[in-house]
Amino acid sequence: MASTLQESSKLSQFTINGGDWSANSQNLQKNLSVLSPEQVHLAKMLLDMGQSHLFEHWPEPGVEDDEKKTFFNQVPSGEVLNFGDDAFVKFEEAGIREARNAAFVLVAGGLGERLGYNGIKDHAESLIFVVYLMQLALPSETVTGTCFLQHYVESILAMQDASHRLVPDQCIPQIPLVIMTSDDTHARTGALLKSNGYFGMKAEQVKLLKQEKVACLDDNDGRLAVDPNNRYKIQTKPHGHGDVHSLLYSSGLLNVWHDAGLKWVLFFQDTNGLLFKGIPASLGVSSTKKYQVNSLAVPRKAKEAIGGITKLTHVDGRTMVINVEYNQLDPLLRASGYLDGDVNCETGYSPFPGNINQNTASISGESMSQSAVIYYRSAESLAWIGILAHDAKAMDYGKLLMLILDLDSYIEELTKTKGAISEFVNPKYKDSTKTSFKSSTRLECMMQDYPKTLPPTARVGFTVMDTWLAYAPVKNNPEDAAKAGVQVEDPVKQVFNKQEVEVWPRVTWKPKWAITFAEVRSKVRGSSSISQRSTMVIKGQNVYIEGLDLDGALVIHSIDDAEVKVGGTVQNKGWIIEEVNYKDASVPEEIRIRGFKINKVEQLDLNYTDPGKFLHKS
């Protein structure tokens, strides 16, 4: 009771609409005594998000109290993390400890043609890392040119080593990497790995699983399509990244991982080099809260081309936390009584978290309603009503970056379903008659639809982080950089490929230098500053920045047995960002799609190839 009274006191200090309490929130206040501390906390967050209308019908205490408590079971639980605070650091450490027990599944799997790139796409996994190859060979950043697959593998290895340092009495974990490929990418993925020595992993750690294609349909009657290049062959296309579940099940890897003592499987997709900045804390949240499903999310604007994380309630009372595709979310909301559809709330963000763990090909307005109907009918979801995206405080956040699944419950569920995921079709029609396709279509399935089969009792949650930390590669935060003891100069605006972006200082490091915020903070000492035009590259495990004033380019390379301290003033002409014409065929594709290149005019190179302790201070 004391805890409830404490929460009640906190709630009484909460203001709505400039401090005026509405009758709806007063109804809630009267009923605080019948709620648990956790339910009071959820109610407080709902009020914070302007959702006081949810309580307008609540009667006096003693009347329908069980129904009032049941109401809060509709709100998915989650953790909203603030970068660099004590809770963030705590979850990071818990995640690093669990890393030895995890499995990553990177989901992508095409050729990257939509990006104008003809090389294979990239994605890798670790801690049982499954990759649906999406631009794996593309550079993850321009400063060093490190490709995504290398960055992912090195990040996994860094987590592997960091986990061993926290649990030194156990053997060094060997985190497997499973890459889901396709006919188009399988051979080239294997060649990329072999030619680069598996980027530091042992060959036996890496496995490739090839996804097969499915037959295409030519019309609404479901007639099979003939391959336009061979009239004796049925046309086929990829089935979707939801196949990863059936592949993992049929491969037997899940049981192998279970027998090896692993506990988690991490799925992710897209070319997001920042993702591993958020993985340790997210894994820590899963471990601490014992989530069976945990989604990493960042802020999402309404109507963004990103699916939304929603909690759906069926007419018979069943509920599920699931992604709804962005082109279906707005129609669903309007059909469910939300007349304005998917709109931003007072926070400036949509109340529905967004899922970036999906394909992002554009869908025309013409096909929008049709695809929504087909999708929901296939899942018997026309009878579902969207209730809440997530718990209140996270209602202003949203793009799903990653799924973390509890391995035991995952195996249990796939044993029932054999890895099958609900399918849908999304045909593109030639005209409004919707009788002829623009091109053949096929049944598709999505990885993030896995929770549809879970029982209502499943512990499904989410972890929210700042966009700049885990998703937006061109955005930084000076205030948060200062938490590590670095003053970062403000950006300048430049235009590349007709897109205006903020250009900040370029600072990159190998994952083994720091995989968590705590590591960064421990290796940056004193007061340091970096000018806007500066570039710094750290390639070494034991490099310490102490009182460094950088105005130019600095590259530090050291072996693991060398301890290097770098400080003083470094000033030179640096590396200059130059615009590139995306139509210039003389420029490599991976540069053209970015719209810029780096001209390395002048730099200071510090190389330490011998063991020992070193100091550079100019």
Short mmCIF file of all heavy atoms in Angstrom, two decimals, residues 12-34:
data_model
loop_
_atom_site.label_atom_id
_atom_site.label_comp_id
_atom_site.label_asym_id
_atom_site.label_seq_id
_atom_site.Cartn_x
_atom_site.Cartn_y
_atom_site.Cartn_z
N SER A 12 -0.36 12.57 -8.61
CA SER A 12 -1.02 13.82 -8.27
C SER A 12 -0.20 15.03 -8.69
O SER A 12 -0.72 16.13 -8.86
CB SER A 12 -1.28 13.88 -6.76
OG SER A 12 -0.03 13.97 -6.06
N GLN A 13 1.10 14.81 -8.90
CA GLN A 13 1.97 15.90 -9.34
C GLN A 13 2.01 16.01 -10.85
O GLN A 13 2.58 16.94 -11.40
CB GLN A 13 3.39 15.67 -8.81
CG GLN A 13 3.47 15.62 -7.29
CD GLN A 13 4.85 15.18 -6.82
OE1 GLN A 13 5.80 15.17 -7.59
NE2 GLN A 13 4.94 14.80 -5.56
N PHE A 14 1.37 15.05 -11.52
CA PHE A 14 1.41 15.01 -12.98
C PHE A 14 0.37 15.98 -13.54
O PHE A 14 -0.74 16.07 -13.03
CB PHE A 14 1.13 13.60 -13.45
CG PHE A 14 1.82 13.27 -14.72
CD1 PHE A 14 3.18 13.02 -14.71
CD2 PHE A 14 1.15 13.24 -15.91
CE1 PHE A 14 3.85 12.72 -15.87
CE2 PHE A 14 1.80 12.93 -17.08
CZ PHE A 14 3.16 12.67 -17.06
N THR A 15 0.71 16.70 -14.58
CA THR A 15 -0.20 17.69 -15.14
C THR A 15 -0.60 17.33 -16.56
O THR A 15 0.14 16.70 -17.29
CB THR A 15 0.44 19.09 -15.17
OG1 THR A 15 1.64 19.01 -15.97
CG2 THR A 15 0.78 19.56 -13.78
N ILE A 16 -1.80 17.72 -16.90
CA ILE A 16 -2.33 17.51 -18.25
C ILE A 16 -2.94 18.82 -18.72
O ILE A 16 -3.57 19.55 -17.95
CB ILE A 16 -3.42 16.42 -18.26
CG1 ILE A 16 -2.84 15.09 -17.79
CG2 ILE A 16 -4.05 16.28 -19.63
CD1 ILE A 16 -3.86 14.00 -17.74
N ASN A 17 -2.75 19.12 -20.00
CA ASN A 17 -3.32 20.32 -20.59
C ASN A 17 -2.98 21.56 -19.76
O ASN A 17 -3.84 22.31 -19.33
CB ASN A 17 -4.84 20.20 -20.72
CG ASN A 17 -5.24 19.07 -21.64
OD1 ASN A 17 -4.54 18.78 -22.60
ND2 ASN A 17 -6.37 18.43 -21.36
N GLY A 18 -1.69 21.72 -19.52
CA GLY A 18 -1.25 22.91 -18.81
C GLY A 18 -1.54 22.88 -17.33
O GLY A 18 -1.51 23.90 -16.65
N GLY A 19 -1.88 21.73 -16.78
CA GLY A 19 -2.07 21.63 -15.35
C GLY A 19 -3.50 21.45 -14.92
O GLY A 19 -3.78 21.27 -13.75
N ASP A 20 -4.47 21.49 -15.84
CA ASP A 20 -5.87 21.31 -15.49
C ASP A 20 -6.24 19.84 -15.55
O ASP A 20 -6.17 19.21 -16.60
CB ASP A 20 -6.77 22.09 -16.47
CG ASP A 20 -6.54 23.59 -16.37
OD1 ASP A 20 -6.23 24.03 -15.25
OD2 ASP A 20 -6.68 24.28 -17.39
N TRP A 21 -6.64 19.28 -14.42
CA TRP A 21 -7.04 17.88 -14.38
C TRP A 21 -8.45 17.74 -14.94
O TRP A 21 -9.37 18.42 -14.51
CB TRP A 21 -6.99 17.35 -12.94
CG TRP A 21 -5.62 17.08 -12.49
CD1 TRP A 21 -4.77 17.95 -11.88
CD2 TRP A 21 -4.91 15.85 -12.62
NE1 TRP A 21 -3.57 17.35 -11.62
CE2 TRP A 21 -3.63 16.06 -12.06
CE3 TRP A 21 -5.22 14.61 -13.15
CZ2 TRP A 21 -2.68 15.07 -12.03
CZ3 TRP A 21 -4.27 13.62 -13.10
CH2 TRP A 21 -3.01 13.85 -12.55
N SER A 22 -8.64 16.84 -15.89
CA SER A 22 -9.96 16.62 -16.46
C SER A 22 -10.73 15.66 -15.57
O SER A 22 -10.19 15.00 -14.69
CB SER A 22 -9.84 16.03 -17.86
OG SER A 22 -9.28 14.72 -17.79
N ALA A 23 -12.04 15.57 -15.84
CA ALA A 23 -12.88 14.64 -15.08
C ALA A 23 -12.43 13.21 -15.30
O ALA A 23 -12.50 12.38 -14.41
CB ALA A 23 -14.34 14.82 -15.48
N ASN A 24 -11.94 12.93 -16.51
CA ASN A 24 -11.48 11.57 -16.82
C ASN A 24 -10.34 11.14 -15.93
O ASN A 24 -10.32 10.05 -15.38
CB ASN A 24 -11.05 11.48 -18.28
CG ASN A 24 -12.17 11.82 -19.25
OD1 ASN A 24 -13.33 11.71 -18.89
ND2 ASN A 24 -11.81 12.25 -20.43
N SER A 25 -9.34 12.03 -15.77
CA SER A 25 -8.20 11.67 -14.93
C SER A 25 -8.58 11.65 -13.46
O SER A 25 -7.98 10.92 -12.67
CB SER A 25 -7.05 12.65 -15.17
OG SER A 25 -7.46 13.97 -14.96
N GLN A 26 -9.59 12.43 -13.08
CA GLN A 26 -10.06 12.37 -11.70
C GLN A 26 -10.71 11.02 -11.41
O GLN A 26 -10.58 10.48 -10.31
CB GLN A 26 -11.05 13.52 -11.45
CG GLN A 26 -10.38 14.88 -11.43
CD GLN A 26 -11.37 16.02 -11.37
OE1 GLN A 26 -12.57 15.80 -11.31
NE2 GLN A 26 -10.87 17.25 -11.39
N ASN A 27 -11.41 10.47 -12.42
CA ASN A 27 -11.96 9.12 -12.26
C ASN A 27 -10.84 8.12 -11.98
O ASN A 27 -10.99 7.22 -11.16
CB ASN A 27 -12.71 8.70 -13.53
CG ASN A 27 -14.01 9.45 -13.70
OD1 ASN A 27 -14.54 10.01 -12.75
ND2 ASN A 27 -14.53 9.45 -14.93
N LEU A 28 -9.74 8.29 -12.68
CA LEU A 28 -8.60 7.41 -12.46
C LEU A 28 -8.04 7.60 -11.05
O LEU A 28 -7.74 6.63 -10.36
CB LEU A 28 -7.51 7.68 -13.50
CG LEU A 28 -6.17 6.98 -13.28
CD1 LEU A 28 -6.35 5.46 -13.31
CD2 LEU A 28 -5.16 7.41 -14.32
N GLN A 29 -7.90 8.85 -10.62
CA GLN A 29 -7.35 9.12 -9.29
C GLN A 29 -8.14 8.42 -8.19
O GLN A 29 -7.58 7.89 -7.23
CB GLN A 29 -7.32 10.62 -9.04
CG GLN A 29 -6.11 11.33 -9.62
CD GLN A 29 -5.99 12.75 -9.10
OE1 GLN A 29 -6.94 13.50 -9.17
NE2 GLN A 29 -4.84 13.09 -8.60
N LYS A 30 -9.45 8.39 -8.35
CA LYS A 30 -10.29 7.77 -7.33
C LYS A 30 -10.01 6.27 -7.21
O LYS A 30 -10.26 5.67 -6.16
CB LYS A 30 -11.77 7.98 -7.68
CG LYS A 30 -12.22 9.42 -7.64
CD LYS A 30 -13.68 9.53 -8.10
CE LYS A 30 -14.13 10.98 -8.16
NZ LYS A 30 -15.53 11.09 -8.67
N ASN A 31 -9.53 5.68 -8.30
CA ASN A 31 -9.35 4.23 -8.34
C ASN A 31 -7.92 3.78 -8.13
O ASN A 31 -7.62 2.59 -8.29
CB ASN A 31 -9.85 3.70 -9.68
CG ASN A 31 -11.36 3.65 -9.77
OD1 ASN A 31 -11.98 2.70 -9.31
ND2 ASN A 31 -11.96 4.67 -10.37
N LEU A 32 -7.03 4.69 -7.76
CA LEU A 32 -5.62 4.31 -7.60
C LEU A 32 -5.43 3.22 -6.56
O LEU A 32 -4.54 2.37 -6.69
CB LEU A 32 -4.79 5.53 -7.24
CG LEU A 32 -4.61 6.59 -8.34
CD1 LEU A 32 -3.78 7.75 -7.82
CD2 LEU A 32 -3.97 5.98 -9.58
N SER A 33 -6.27 3.22 -5.55
CA SER A 33 -6.09 2.26 -4.45
C SER A 33 -6.33 0.83 -4.88
O SER A 33 -5.87 -0.10 -4.21
CB SER A 33 -7.02 2.61 -3.29
OG SER A 33 -8.38 2.57 -3.71
N VAL A 34 -7.06 0.62 -6.00
CA VAL A 34 -7.35 -0.75 -6.43
C VAL A 34 -6.31 -1.25 -7.43
O VAL A 34 -6.36 -2.41 -7.85
CB VAL A 34 -8.76 -0.84 -7.06
CG1 VAL A 34 -9.81 -0.32 -6.10
CG2 VAL A 34 -8.82 -0.10 -8.39
#
